[in-house]
Amino acid sequence: MADREFDLVLFGATGFVGKLTAEYLIQAAPAGAKIALAGRSAEKLAAVRAELGAAAAEWPLVQADSTDQASLDALAARTKVVVTTVGPYLRYGVPLVQACAENGTHYADLTGEPLFIRDCIDRFGDKAAETGAKIVTSCGYDSIPSDLSVYQLYKRTVADNTGELTDTTLVAWLKGGMSGGTIDSGRAMMEAIAADPAKASVMSHPYSLSPDKALEPDVGRQTDQALQRASNIDPSLSGWVSTFIMGAHNTKIVRRSNGLLGWPYGKNFRYREVMSAGSSPTAPLVAAGIAGGIVATMAAGAVLSRVSAGRKLLDRIVPKPGTGPSENARRSGWFTMRTFANTTSGAKYVCTFAGKGDPGYQATSVMLGQAGLCLAFDSLPELAGILTPASAMGDALTDRLRKADITIEVDPA
């Protein structure tokens, strides 16, 4: 792709996270990087470029629309990499993946939508592998911390010769809000399942994104629901843990990485994610409330998504896509993910993946920006197709994020 006009095109630059990603690319992109901004409205793109200041003044603008396949084909043909923040991806993302797969163009997004990924695997996986396109999904807070943490744990077991991974649990601590885009993505999936109930199995099956379910380890039931004492995971932990709302998606990405890499994590690899509910006297009640609230919210959302009146109600009560917190709120956020792993030799490890900034906004723009730059400029494995962060960019992206002040450390537990 040496003859491409651009190194990277940011599609959706006029959206909230798109603007944050553009701001990050200004400081993180190497000198001479050929970057362009893309979106539906040339006028809005010009306004965003003006807001970005002198450093982006020469960035070209590309008009493209997710409902216009020809415009997306032309966009993909001009660049090495497309980074997209235009979601929900189930509604708006498929044509761009098609364009990138057919043109051999690398791609990174922020999706937390298993239905979208499964659709892309089935429709464009073979074509992307044929053209050499690396279509890398879930390159934000969902699911880079999860995916790279387990990947680095695996690399440590190989270095130490301590056997394969077995029971592995990620515990999440964070300060930050849920974006309107994330909620809208959930709604899009609920509406899709309401229209076709058979799609529910993609959401519920732990290996629904696997490259080959028949080769997955038989480790018994794996649930994304949680309510227990944290010390059951590791004696160093106190308090209680509960269901992590993105665990159902992140765990599928981690298991897909294992499959794409040839199942090196182990034949007894079991993985789950939970969220800390704290260690105060009320922590058990908080944990129970979180777990029950997530179940109730999903159930209510599924029911409301089936009827017009319900969809209108959701429109009034949930945050709007494209909106987000103030700069002070974004900068005051933080996240810490600690993944506790056991091995067949009895050795135990913990991977800490932590950073500053609201995870859904500030930190996500860093992760997505670095993923795009990694695809554009780094030497990567030849693997192509519908990929995951770890399978496409494991070591190179880890190095980049460490240099971007994100902590990624593996230690004996």
Side-chain angles (χ1 to χ4, degrees):
M1 292 189 284
D3 59 344
R4 298 284 173 105
E5 182 179 356
F6 307 123
D7 295 312
L8 185 154
V9 173
L10 176 60
F11 184 55
T14 60
F16 194 89
V17 178
K19 291 178 185 177
L20 292 178
T21 305
E23 291 171 359
Y24 181 73
L25 288 172
I26 288 174
Q27 58 177 292
K34 298 175 291 184
I35 296 175
L37 304 178
R40 287 183 301 175
S41 168
E43 182 178 351
K44 290 181 179 179
L45 285 171
V48 167
R49 183 175 62 181
E51 291 175 12
L52 293 173
E58 301 302 318
W59 286 3
L61 306 179
V62 180
Q63 202 165 359
D65 192 320
S66 58
T67 63
D68 182 351
Q69 188 67 56
S71 72
L72 297 177
D73 292 339
L75 167 65
R78 298 173 69 184
T79 184
K80 296 178 183 177
V81 178
V82 175
V83 170
T84 175
T85 62
V86 179
Y89 295 91
L90 193 59
R91 290 184 191 145
Y92 306 120
V94 172
L96 181 57
V97 172
Q98 178 178 341
C100 289
E102 292 178 349
N103 284 277
T105 302
H106 302 329
Y107 162 106
D109 69 25
L110 293 174
T111 190
E113 306 165 46
L115 293 180
F116 166 74
I117 298 173
R118 186 68 256 175
D119 192 28
C120 291
I121 293 167
D122 295 339
R123 295 174 61 181
F124 311 121
D126 290 342
K127 173 57 71 172
E130 176 187 328
T131 63
K134 298 180 188 295
I135 309 296
V136 191
T137 66
S138 305
C139 291
Y141 181 65
D142 312 310
S143 305
I144 280 179
S146 308
D147 207 25
L148 291 188
S149 290
V150 176
Y151 176 76
Q152 291 302 327
L153 284 163
Y154 149 69
K155 294 293 294 288
R156 180 62 178 267
T157 65
V158 172
D160 292 353
N161 193 27
T162 47
E164 298 176 337
L165 295 172
T166 56
D167 288 334
T168 303
T169 301
L170 179 148
V171 184
W173 293 262
L174 66 144
K175 178 187 177 184
M178 182 175 294
S179 71
T182 298
I183 293 173
D184 208 33
S185 292
R187 289 183 57 191
M189 290 189 289
M190 291 176 190
E191 290 170 5
I193 292 171
D196 182 3
K199 292 181 177 179
S201 63
V202 176
M203 302 295 292
S204 61
H205 198 290
Y207 297 110
S208 61
L209 300 184
S210 172
D212 189 339
K213 287 185 182 179
L215 295 179
E216 292 292 353
D218 182 9
V219 294
R221 182 171 180 265
Q222 296 181 83
T223 178
D224 297 309
Q225 303 300 314
L227 177 59
Q228 67 180 105
R229 292 184 181 276
S231 58
N232 291 340
I233 297 168
D234 188 86
S236 67
L237 298 175
S238 60
W240 286 71
V241 296
S242 186
T243 303
F244 182 38
I245 192 167
M246 289 311 301
H249 178 74
N250 294 338
T251 54
K252 292 178 178 62
I253 294 295
V254 169
R255 295 183 190 115
R256 178 165 176 79
S257 289
N258 189 27
L260 289 170
L261 294 170
W263 291 274
Y265 297 170
K267 61 181 178 297
N268 293 307
F269 174 64
R270 292 173 57 90
Y271 181 69
R272 64 173 179 153
E273 297 189 352
V274 299
M275 183 175 71
S276 172
S279 56
S280 71
T282 62
L285 295 177
V286 172
I290 293 171
I294 290 174
V295 172
T297 299
M298 295 299 291
V303 172
L304 291 172
S305 296
R306 292 189 177 97
V307 295
S308 176
R311 290 192 292 272
K312 290 179 181 178
L313 175 62
L314 289 173
D315 286 338
R316 290 198 297 268
I317 63 177
V318 302
K320 298 294 185 290
T323 62
S326 68
E327 181 177 357
N328 286 340
R330 295 195 307 270
R331 294 191 181 280
S332 67
W334 54 268
F335 69 95
T336 297
M337 324 284 273
R338 299 184 70 202
T339 305
F340 296 84
N342 295 277
T343 69
T344 51
S345 71
K348 297 183 178 183
Y349 298 94
V350 57
C351 180
T352 300
F353 194 117
K356 298 177 181 179
D358 183 292
Y361 294 98
Q362 202 76 24
T364 281
S365 66
V366 173
M367 294 180 208
L368 180 62
Q370 287 294 351
L373 295 172
C374 188
L375 289 168
F377 297 109
D378 293 354
S379 178
L380 300 172
E382 293 184 2
L383 186 66
I386 311 300
L387 306 179
T388 59
S391 62
M393 306 176 280
D395 290 322
L397 184 56
T398 299
D399 290 343
R400 279 185 166 273
L401 293 177
R402 283 171 172 159
K403 293 174 183 176
D405 296 325
I406 290 179
T407 297
I408 309 174
E409 297 176 346
V410 178
D411 299 295

